[in-house]
Amino acid sequence: MNLFTLKMTALLLMVLDHIGFYFPAAPVWLRWLGRGAYPLFLFCMAQGCAHTRSRKRYLLRLYAMSLFMTAWGLLLDARFPTERGYGNHNIFVPLLLAGYCVSAVEAFQRDPRRGGRLLGLLALSQLAYLMLPALLPFTRGLSGDVLTGVVPSLEVNEYGFAFIALGAAMYFLRDRREALAAVYLLFCLWQFSAGAAEGDPQWMMVFVLPLMLRYNGERGPGLKWFFYCFYPAHTAALFLLARALL
């Protein structure tokens, strides 16, 4: 499987997951299938970091999309208020943070001083996130999910720090399939032990591991901007459709 096929598979699983999110009457297995979407996107991010022509531009695109999704969510909630709301849909925050952590670690390996500066900037951004309500009083009424779209937080994002670490591991183990599979399986086992008792099906992400292991190293068709545009478009369409059917 090439990278394009993996992205399309992740996209399909994501749409099924969001159908289950917006339509309570939808079968629960849609959310189960959707558990594999984010890990596949993480895997594609790791490969993207390895093969992009400009890591800096790649990360800036992710941050620009994070800002856009923050504004997009605020706009939809203000224009089309519902009891449940648009929801927290900003996958770009954890993808950005995972990519930045990869860059910082690699920079530290080559030049500890430069890597230290990058890690220091990451630490300062986490402090800025915590201090933002005190520094800018108008942000006090905003949720953490909104604030993290502007000042990305390692803790407050769609899937939390553990998945950011998993994304970094996918990058550094991208040429060691056996090690990648072992780490991924252990992560899924941890998800099962931590959440299964509470009905959290995230451990079902284990079923997309064979797809990752079939990756052949090829890019496939580009369509880069299709994926960036599809994410806000499909969430808005499902949100508005669900609102219309209420």
Side-chain angles (χ1 to χ4, degrees):
M1 301 183 74
N2 58 36
L3 200 60
F4 175 79
T5 305
L6 288 174
K7 286 182 179 179
M8 290 301 293
T9 303
L11 184 146
L12 173 61
L13 294 176
M14 176 181 67
V15 171
L16 294 176
D17 183 45
H18 287 157
I19 291 173
F21 173 82
Y22 280 115
F23 299 91
V28 68
W29 53 263
L30 292 179
R31 303 304 308 275
W32 296 348
L33 291 174
R35 298 309 88 206
Y38 179 53
L40 280 179
F41 279 124
L42 271 180
F43 182 85
C44 294
M45 179 280 305
Q47 299 299 325
C49 279
H51 301 295
T52 183
R53 295 178 181 177
S54 173
R55 179 81 60 82
K56 181 182 294 186
R57 286 201 297 267
Y58 180 65
L59 295 179
L60 284 175
R61 280 198 303 272
L62 290 175
Y63 182 58
M65 287 303 301
S66 172
L67 294 175
F68 175 80
M69 287 303 301
T70 301
W72 187 239
L74 290 172
L75 174 64
L76 289 174
D77 277 331
R79 180 65 181 83
F80 305 101
T82 63
E83 182 178 349
R84 189 175 188 182
Y86 171 66
N88 174 34
H89 300 297
N90 200 340
I91 196 176
F92 301 104
V93 174
L95 293 180
L96 167 65
L97 287 168
Y100 186 91
C101 288
V102 163
S103 298
V105 171
E106 283 193 325
F108 190 84
Q109 291 173 337
R110 293 190 298 265
D111 181 356
R113 182 174 297 182
R114 180 172 181 272
R117 287 197 298 267
L118 291 178
L119 291 171
L121 286 173
L122 180 61
L124 284 175
S125 70
Q126 304 312 294
L127 182 61
Y129 172 84
L130 295 174
M131 295 180 63
L132 202 58
L135 296 174
L136 300 174
F138 73 88
T139 64
R140 292 173 185 171
L142 300 176
S143 69
D145 292 328
V146 171
L147 296 180
T148 196
V150 179
V151 183
S153 168
L154 288 168
E155 180 181 1
V156 183
N157 58 77
E158 207 166 345
Y159 281 85
F161 176 72
F163 279 83
I164 293 172
L166 176 64
M170 286 178 172
Y171 175 84
F172 290 108
L173 298 176
R174 65 189 185 280
D175 296 324
R176 301 169 56 193
R177 296 195 178 193
E178 294 81 4
L180 173 62
V183 168
Y184 192 85
L185 287 171
L186 286 173
F187 190 91
C188 293
L189 181 61
W190 170 61
Q191 288 289 306
F192 177 79
S193 62
E198 300 175 0
D200 183 357
Q202 187 57 50
W203 64 271
M204 293 184 180
M205 61 187 267
V206 68
F207 295 112
V208 299
L209 176 59
L211 302 181
M212 299 178 189
L213 297 180
R214 291 191 62 191
Y215 174 57
N216 58 15
E218 298 178 2
R219 179 184 179 186
L223 297 182
K224 174 176 62 180
W225 291 107
F226 168 76
F227 294 99
Y228 286 113
C229 295
F230 184 85
Y231 187 78
H234 92 279
T235 51
L238 291 174
F239 168 67
L240 294 175
L241 180 59
R243 182 179 184 273
L245 294 176
L246 287 177

